[in-house]
Amino acid sequence: EAGVTQFPSHSVIEKGQTVTLRCDPISGHDNLYWYRRVMGKEIKFLLHFVKESKQDESGMPNNRFLAERTGGTYSTLKVQPAELEDSGVYFCASSYISGSNEKLFFGSGTQLSVL
Amino acid sequence: AQSVAQPEDQVNVAEGNPLTVKCTYSVSGNPYLFWYVQYPNRGLQFLLKYITGDNLVKGSYGFEAEFNKSQTSFHLKKPSALVSDSALYFCAVRDRIFGSARQLTFGSGTQLTVLP
């Protein structure tokens, strides 16, 4: 079974440019999460999809970040325009069971560097 | 608000010795607690979780963690470390009652290095 895949693994862009990160969850997983780890600090929640609907986007830092999950399959996270403080590792995770038995499967992350 | 503290950025231990990676948490209600591990160029992998029941939880790769409610701690332990255990370890918490959004709060991570 394929795991959660993220593309690209690394992205280096200049301040003001646009970057789009992609996450392909495990097939059949309705829940999809985005997280971010900045400068070696905590991994922080960004948002949560259930199928194609945004269940919780309370962690999105500002309106430069736009996440979509059309059709309830893969998801994209667009940063436009990128700022220096957006640099970090962006993780995607998916699951198919909610509640106390929910188990998250993480992708290997996208390392974003904004210069 | 919930939070997790991992007081050590780096832990070094000799192979064969016991290891401990510390974690303390803060939540409004009762917690669900987790440990995840990240090997180089890999995604976070689930190690173990505490939901309810026995305070000592056993997980993958011989790891275990002890839930201590009075000290609000959930330290990760292993009796005998292996070089292959070297990785980045994250503790995470979710409030059982108010975590309806199911988002986890993670600590800042602890880099474990097991020396041969």
Side-chain angles (χ1 to χ4, degrees):
Chain A
E1 176 183 284
V4 177
T5 57
Q6 293 186 245
F7 181 84
S9 57
H10 294 81
S11 180
V12 181
I13 61 172
E14 293 185 351
K15 176 183 174 181
Q17 290 186 322
T18 298
V19 63
T20 300
L21 313 181
R22 173 169 169 147
C23 169
D24 286 72
I26 293 173
S27 178
H29 282 193
D30 289 340
N31 294 300
L32 188 149
Y33 301 81
W34 283 98
Y35 292 86
R36 178 174 74 167
R37 186 178 191 228
V38 174
M39 289 295 292
K41 295 184 178 178
E42 301 88 350
I43 298 173
K44 292 195 173 181
F45 168 81
L46 295 178
L47 86 160
H48 170 214
F49 284 100
V50 177
K51 297 185 180 179
E52 68 274 10
S53 299
K54 291 177 184 175
Q55 185 76 8
D56 182 350
E57 52 184 332
S58 61
M60 295 288 264
N62 51 61
N63 59 10
R64 296 186 292 104
F65 289 75
L66 175 64
E68 295 180 324
R69 193 184 182 193
T70 306
T73 54
Y74 71 91
S75 174
T76 58
L77 179 64
K78 180 190 289 187
V79 185
Q80 179 182 28
E83 298 290 342
L84 300 179
E85 64 265 25
D86 300 332
S87 297
V89 181
Y90 291 76
F91 292 102
C92 175
S94 70
S95 72
Y96 65 96
I97 294 176
S98 61
S100 63
N101 288 324
E102 183 174 20
K103 184 175 179 178
L104 295 183
F105 294 82
F106 282 83
S108 55
T110 294
Q111 173 74 59
L112 175 63
S113 299
V114 182
L115 306 178
Chain B
Q2 55 195 38
S3 65
V4 174
Q6 293 183 243
E8 301 156 317
D9 292 335
Q10 174 82 40
V11 170
N12 296 327
V13 64
E15 187 174 30
N17 283 1
L19 69 87
T20 299
V21 182
K22 296 179 180 178
C23 170
T24 58
Y25 65 90
S26 174
V27 294
S28 300
N30 292 314
Y32 292 142
L33 293 157
F34 304 81
W35 275 101
Y36 286 83
V37 59
Q38 185 183 18
Y39 297 102
N41 300 315
R42 303 284 297 277
L44 278 75
Q45 296 179 30
F46 171 83
L47 267 183
L48 51 80
K49 68 180 178 183
Y50 170 80
I51 301 297
T52 186
D54 289 341
N55 290 341
L56 185 63
V57 179
K58 294 187 182 296
S60 306
Y61 311 120
F63 284 93
E64 58 188 28
E66 185 168 12
F67 170 61
N68 188 317
K69 187 173 182 177
S70 62
Q71 297 184 3
T72 61
S73 67
F74 190 57
H75 301 330
L76 181 70
K77 299 181 180 183
K78 186 172 182 180
S80 179
L82 300 173
V83 173
S84 57
D85 293 329
S86 298
L88 187 57
Y89 290 81
F90 291 94
C91 181
V93 67
R94 175 164 74 81
D95 190 296
R96 187 174 306 185
I97 296 177
F98 297 104
S100 58
R102 295 192 291 276
Q103 69 268 35
L104 295 176
T105 297
F106 286 87
S108 55
T110 298
Q111 180 65 49
L112 172 68
T113 300
V114 181
L115 305 169

